[in-house]
Amino acid sequence: LKGATSLRAAALRPVLIAMVLISKQNRRAILEHIFKEGVIVVKNDGRASRHNELEDLPNLHVMMVCKSLASRAYLTEKFNWQWH
């Protein structure tokens, strides 16, 4: 019973999710790259300081823009070996 109580308490705790604010300039650069190339590859590493193709942008920003586009069905996501 003690274990079940702790699981229930853990399920009721609020999940803290950090908001990622992406500037309009960065979002525009990512979208321009996607529309120009037709494809983008993103490593599944939010802690990476820079994206491999867009060196001036953080990898986390590219990941979040692609995640947003995929959730709206504007982008098809293929995940393979820690790369999107």
Side-chain angles (χ1 to χ4, degrees):
L1 274 163
K2 187 175 183 181
T5 306
S6 64
L7 288 175
R8 195 175 316 128
L12 295 177
R13 271 190 235 136
V15 177
L16 299 176
I17 299 173
M19 177 74 72
V20 178
L21 298 176
I22 303 171
S23 69
K24 189 181 253 187
Q25 180 183 6
N26 285 357
R27 184 178 303 274
R28 184 178 176 104
I30 295 165
L31 293 175
E32 282 179 357
H33 178 77
I34 292 172
F35 291 134
K36 183 176 77 171
E37 299 294 326
V39 67
I40 191 163
V41 179
V42 182
K43 185 171 178 144
N44 190 21
D45 183 13
R47 295 179 187 225
S49 61
R50 299 290 165 218
H51 186 258
N52 60 337
E53 295 174 8
L54 304 168
E55 285 85 17
D56 54 336
L57 299 176
N59 195 49
L60 181 62
H61 289 186
V62 179
M63 281 176 54
M64 293 298 112
V65 169
C66 289
K67 182 178 176 182
S68 174
L69 291 173
S71 71
R72 298 177 193 171
Y74 294 140
L75 187 73
T76 303
E77 182 180 21
K78 301 287 184 183
F79 186 74
N80 190 11
W81 290 94
Q82 298 300 317
W83 287 82
H84 292 273

